[in-house]
Amino acid sequence: TKRYLGGLFGLSPELLDLDFEPDTFGHNANVPEILTKGGVKHYYHCRGYDGHHLYRWRAASGAETVVYREPLWYNANIDAGIAAHVPAFCAKHGMSTVLKVYGVGDHGGGPTRRDIERLQDMAAWPVFPTIKFGTFTGFFRKVDEIATTLPVVDRELNFIFPGCYTTQTRIKAANRIGEARMDDAERFASAAAVSAGVPYPRAAYEEAWRRILFNHFHDILPGSGTIETREYAMGRFQEVVAAADQGTVKALRGIDAKVDTAGLPAVKTARADTKTALREAFSEGAGVGYGMGDYVVPQPERGRGRLRILHFHNPSTHARREAVPVTIWDWPGDPARIEVLDAAGKTLPFQLEPAVSTLFFGQGDYWGHKYLRLRIEARVPALGYTTAVLREKADPGFVKPHDEPRVERPDVFVLENGRIRAGFDPATAALRSLRDKHTGRELVAAGRHAGFRLIDEDDSKGMTAWVVGRYMNVAPLVDDVRLTPVRGGPDALRSSFTYTMPFRGSKLTVEVSLAAGSDRLEYAAVCDFRETAVPGTSMPQLNFTLPSAAPCKGYRYDIPFGTVDREPLDLDVPASSFGMSLPVEPGAPALALVAATKYGFRGTDDSISLTLIRSSYDPDPTPEFGEHRFRFAVAVVPAPDDRRTLLAAASDFCHPLVYQSGTVHAGALPAESSFLALESGSAVVTAVKLPEDDPSGRTLLVRLHETDGRAGEARVRFDRPVRSVVAVDLNEKPVKDAGASGASRATGASVASVAVEEGRVVRCSLLPWSVAGFVVEVPGTIPERTNSTI
């Protein structure tokens, strides 16, 4: 923002030290930390708080900003009433100056001739406050003189208009997907620039981020806009995904092209394929557009014949081991003889999945090409990649016996692995039991519905896009549910079942799955939502609720750069990706709902629920009519107080491992490598990218934040020597070393001390709950591309 406004108005960015938030619908608890680390000292707002008009707002890190809350209103006409509160305000704060913001127009507007003429006239009135035209800067300079006497507010400034956490679910999904995909795109492009010499698309990424941020305007992202607003926002979202896809695919292919796949043990020992070259080449390019409805990274086939090269990429800064979905196109071999081997030639677990067009295993059809769907267990290094080989075994070993039923057994809907056991109602598909196998505890409350609900909201308060109405009718979705049998079992790589349930004029199709070694049940849903609100009657809402067997003292949610604990509230509250129950018993395992594209949670009555779709009717009369796709997870949290692990796990759910098809060739890169890894410390990495203003192209920026309220160090290991490192603020400008005093933390002068150790490790000292960043110079980084328009 400072770069943009400084360039637009020809101002020094250092002069821009005010955050003007006249009509923001709530303010998260880390705003003071973010602002001070960006050199912003002052804050103006109207909503989200009804206490002091002048105060110091303090984050958990100790960072502070001076705040003025508008006593009247930010958007108003000029009349004699503007002075009514002035004597009391000045007496309370020991000041002789009060700020009045005025203007006509949506969200600030500007002064009219009538306003100016009235002010000039009122300035001459006797026995009336002196009126002068002024600036925010001039007013806050006067407030700074008394800042040390101001009261301190040390919490989030919420809540207002909770409907805006969930209204217009397509816009919400677009924002979450766009942010996540661009974050991954920057990380992959950074790794590719350093490791493989792939040009970094700086200009295209900057434009994509501007399009995301434009949609952060408070009547777009909250869903409180017109039909045209939604259509415009979704068009911008498509452009963001195009930029992210283009940059990600070029980055990953650039890395893959330099990997020595010809030297893989599985390639050297593979049987020669006897098919003709024409037949072999039939597969190349297949799968273009496949899966794009779920906004996956494009992965068309590049291989041919019976032997296929598989590349798995990890956007996280910690190693991951997961069952990755893989689609193999036009494979001419016998599916019963498939084997998958890792970079060392060892067998990898995998399982065949049903084709999308059928419930049965086998090849699916897509635009003249055949495909096989597999789940392959990949172990991928931190912000790195690994390579595997899929091929046909020479000897199938044994013939699998026919699995036609010999006896009839009752349907049992249980998903189980070594960590958890989940039992579902065979009639309704509701979650009846969720047992933590480590402690033996039952985590879901007996006798209470854990599953989907249809809620009718009372619309009598009006402003339905902004306001969640009182729950009038709450109906668990339990009727006419059709279930498919469970695929897999306790020893499977991934077990799952699907079900459909109609409700009123709509239909919900759900797959519930559990992967080996996972603590979470994953729900992937498609909802054909045909419900519309009837003004004066009710508004329909689709919801998922998860009651806890243990009493809850409160709930934990993630916010930008951290987490926040809230008391039970019968009110929707915002979170970036998860809401978690906090058991009364210390150290007891907890339940969490993790959402990939949702923001509205409700923690009350010993349960956590997630608002999935709510059909408001003003200003957009039909915002939700049509098909919706969404993912969320029911997670068991073994250690609720380990915030770092919790944040990392939620991030993994929202940032899946990425698969790309490859070919056999020589190369300079090894078959497996990690570009950057967070080795230790109570921190998570939030960004890896090229700095915005470094024309040299020889540096990388890493940003992270401390998660658990402990001063300490984070160690970040690179795959090559680090030539230099410098701590930077959120404007990516160098800062002084961290200080421990409250004064330095309050002014934002304290960020982090950084040093290079062992040649390849950056040690970064972190203050509790703080945001930090550093820029490193490493060999191999190259300038960004110049022709990078979208």
Side-chain angles (χ1 to χ4, degrees):
T1 301
K2 283 194 167 188
R3 290 176 65 244
Y4 174 76
L5 292 178
L8 185 67
F9 296 114
L11 298 172
S12 169
E14 286 70 27
L15 295 176
L16 301 170
D17 64 355
L18 167 70
D19 188 357
F20 182 63
E21 302 287 347
D23 203 17
T24 300
F25 300 161
H27 316 258
N28 97 74
N30 276 331
V31 166
E33 169 71 8
I34 296 167
L35 293 183
T36 55
K37 296 302 170 61
V40 177
K41 303 175 182 177
H42 305 126
Y43 202 71
Y44 172 99
H45 77 101
C46 274
R47 301 189 190 271
Y49 176 64
D50 57 3
H52 307 291
H53 293 299
L54 277 177
Y55 58 96
R56 287 179 291 151
W57 188 15
R58 181 180 296 166
S61 66
E64 291 181 0
T65 186
V66 175
V67 181
Y68 177 73
R69 181 176 68 86
E70 176 61 60
L72 302 178
W73 199 242
Y74 72 89
N75 188 348
N77 297 324
I78 294 298
D79 57 37
I82 67 170
H85 71 294
V86 170
F89 182 94
C90 291
K92 178 178 180 179
H93 298 104
M95 294 182 64
S96 61
T97 302
V98 177
L99 175 71
K100 175 67 187 100
V101 178
Y102 65 99
V104 174
D106 199 10
H107 313 108
T112 65
R113 290 180 181 271
R114 182 185 67 178
D115 291 333
I116 295 172
E117 290 171 354
R118 284 185 175 183
L119 288 167
Q120 289 173 331
D121 179 57
M122 293 163 63
W125 291 0
V127 196
F128 201 75
T130 301
I131 294 178
K132 293 181 179 180
F133 295 102
T135 65
F136 288 99
T137 298
F139 173 73
F140 274 106
R141 293 296 175 264
K142 294 183 179 298
V143 176
D144 285 342
E145 296 174 2
I146 63 164
T148 57
T149 68
L150 296 178
V152 172
V153 176
D154 59 359
R155 61 176 178 82
E156 62 183 351
L157 308 182
N158 277 321
F159 305 94
I160 182 68
F161 296 150
C164 292
Y165 310 146
T166 51
T167 303
Q168 294 277 12
T169 57
R170 292 180 181 87
I171 290 178
K172 302 299 191 295
N175 186 70
R176 284 293 304 280
I177 293 169
E179 288 179 339
R181 292 292 299 281
M182 282 303 303
D183 181 26
D184 290 350
E186 287 179 335
R187 296 180 183 217
F188 289 137
S190 298
V194 173
S195 301
V198 179
Y200 188 91
R202 190 197 306 263
Y205 283 3
E206 179 174 347
E207 182 61 27
W209 276 116
R210 286 183 186 229
R211 292 173 182 182
I212 291 172
L213 294 174
F214 182 89
N215 285 346
H216 280 192
F217 174 69
H218 84 269
D219 273 327
I220 300 178
L221 183 56
S224 46
T226 63
I227 297 173
E228 292 79 7
T229 301
R230 164 164 50 90
E231 292 176 346
Y232 180 85
M234 296 308 294
R236 286 303 199 189
F237 165 59
Q238 296 293 335
E239 294 168 344
V240 169
V241 173
D245 280 349
Q246 185 182 65
T248 297
V249 170
K250 287 185 176 181
L252 300 185
R253 286 188 177 180
I255 294 173
D256 297 345
K258 293 186 179 293
V259 173
D260 181 14
T261 55
L264 292 169
V267 172
K268 293 179 179 179
T269 59
R271 295 187 303 118
D273 197 326
T274 58
K275 297 294 183 181
T276 65
L278 180 63
R279 177 60 179 168
E280 286 180 351
F282 182 74
S283 60
E284 293 176 298
V288 172
Y290 178 80
M292 296 306 292
D294 293 319
Y295 299 104
V296 300
V297 174
Q299 43 189 247
E301 184 65 67
R302 307 192 76 208
R304 59 170 68 178
R306 286 181 169 83
L307 186 143
R308 303 293 173 92
I309 302 297
L310 317 174
H311 298 285
F312 299 99
H313 295 265
N314 179 8
S316 305
T317 53
H318 55 270
R320 291 166 63 176
R321 177 178 179 177
E322 296 175 15
V324 182
V326 171
T327 304
I328 302 296
W329 294 90
D330 300 310
W331 195 65
D334 179 3
R337 295 166 63 180
I338 286 177
E339 67 175 350
V340 182
L341 301 106
D342 66 11
K346 297 180 180 179
T347 301
L348 285 177
F350 76 94
Q351 66 186 38
L352 286 169
E353 298 274 280
V356 173
S357 57
T358 175
L359 294 177
F360 302 102
F361 298 102
Q363 296 199 34
D365 293 287
Y366 182 81
W367 291 104
H369 292 273
K370 302 285 187 180
Y371 65 86
L372 289 170
R373 297 174 67 234
L374 301 89
R375 292 270 173 174
I376 300 174
E377 185 178 79
R379 307 176 190 90
V380 192
L383 193 49
Y385 65 89
T386 191
T387 310
V389 175
L390 181 147
R391 67 183 189 182
E392 187 177 53
K393 292 186 288 190
D395 182 3
F398 66 91
V399 178
K400 182 180 179 180
H402 289 288
D403 58 0
E404 285 87 353
R406 309 301 173 94
V407 296
E408 194 73 21
R409 293 184 173 88
D411 290 327
V412 176
F413 291 90
V414 171
L415 300 181
E416 182 177 5
N417 61 17
R419 296 191 178 188
I420 61 176
R421 184 183 190 276
F424 301 83
D425 191 302
T428 68
L431 181 62
R432 292 198 305 194
S433 169
L434 184 58
R435 187 172 297 277
D436 175 15
K437 296 175 77 170
H438 177 68
T439 62
R441 291 175 182 258
E442 174 57 54
L443 302 181
V444 171
R448 297 181 63 184
H449 178 71
F452 293 95
R453 306 182 297 180
L454 185 64
I455 296 169
D456 287 317
E457 297 178 23
D458 181 357
D459 70 338
S460 59
K461 290 184 179 180
M463 296 185 67
T464 57
W466 293 265
V467 177
V468 177
R470 175 186 60 87
Y471 288 4
M472 294 194 307
N473 304 311
V474 180
L477 296 184
V478 296
D479 295 329
D480 302 321
V481 181
R482 299 179 65 86
L483 296 91
T484 64
V486 172
R487 296 191 298 267
D491 298 324
L493 193 60
R494 178 178 180 267
S495 54
S496 64
F497 70 96
T498 62
Y499 59 90
T500 60
M501 52 173 58
F503 58 97
R504 294 183 185 167
S506 303
K507 181 180 179 181
L508 182 64
T509 302
V510 182
E511 181 192 51
V512 189
S513 62
L514 177 64
S518 176
D519 289 318
R520 65 179 184 245
L521 295 168
E522 297 192 8
Y523 286 71
V526 179
C527 184
D528 183 8
F529 196 75
R530 302 300 179 97
E531 310 309 308
T532 56
V534 179
T537 302
S538 67
M539 294 182 298
Q541 177 195 130
L542 182 65
N543 182 287
F544 187 93
T545 187
L546 183 63
S548 172
C552 301
K553 61 183 179 181
Y555 301 87
R556 179 166 294 154
Y557 307 87
D558 62 331
I559 60 175
F561 295 114
T563 59
V564 64
D565 291 351
R566 297 170 178 147
E567 296 179 352
L569 282 173
D570 194 16
L571 184 77
D572 278 15
V573 298
S576 293
S577 66
F578 71 80
M580 182 190 73
S581 61
L582 289 172
V584 172
E585 181 183 346
L591 285 175
L593 285 174
V594 186
T597 57
K598 306 296 177 184
Y599 292 96
F601 296 77
R602 182 173 296 210
T604 186
D605 193 24
D606 295 331
S607 66
I608 186 78
S609 62
L610 177 64
T611 302
L612 299 168
I613 305 172
R614 58 179 303 272
S615 193
S616 58
Y617 59 78
D618 62 324
D620 184 344
T622 55
E624 309 297 353
F625 194 91
E627 184 176 278
H628 299 263
R629 294 173 177 265
F630 48 87
R631 294 190 309 120
F632 64 90
V634 172
V636 175
V637 184
D641 289 332
D642 183 358
R643 292 176 175 85
R644 187 198 67 80
T645 300
L646 176 62
L647 286 164
S651 178
D652 288 352
F653 180 71
C654 299
H655 298 261
L657 298 178
V658 179
Y659 158 74
Q660 290 283 285
S661 171
T663 59
V664 176
H665 51 71
L669 293 180
E672 181 174 290
S673 182
S674 168
F675 169 66
L676 182 156
L678 179 63
E679 288 190 330
S680 63
S682 57
V684 294
V685 173
T686 62
V688 178
K689 65 187 187 70
L690 265 64
E692 299 297 314
D693 291 323
D694 179 14
S696 72
R698 294 191 298 271
T699 60
L700 286 172
L701 178 134
V702 177
R703 185 176 296 128
L704 61 167
H705 71 86
E706 202 282 323
T707 60
D708 290 336
R710 304 197 304 265
E713 294 179 347
R715 290 171 54 87
V716 179
R717 180 175 294 276
F718 291 80
D719 70 337
R720 61 200 61 224
V722 177
R723 291 173 175 167
S724 65
V725 61
V726 60
V728 296
D729 62 15
L730 286 181
N731 296 312
E732 304 179 3
K733 305 299 183 185
V735 297
K736 299 177 182 179
D737 260 5
S741 69
S744 66
R745 294 174 65 184
T747 60
S750 160
V751 176
S753 63
V754 293
V756 179
E757 294 183 347
E758 305 170 20
R760 301 189 178 196
V761 175
V762 172
R763 175 183 52 78
C764 177
S765 67
L766 293 169
L767 297 172
W769 310 115
S770 65
V771 179
F774 58 84
V775 169
V776 296
E777 182 181 2
V778 293
T781 317
I782 63 168
E784 71 274 13
R785 68 172 76 248
T786 57
N787 57 339
S788 53
T789 56
I790 298 176

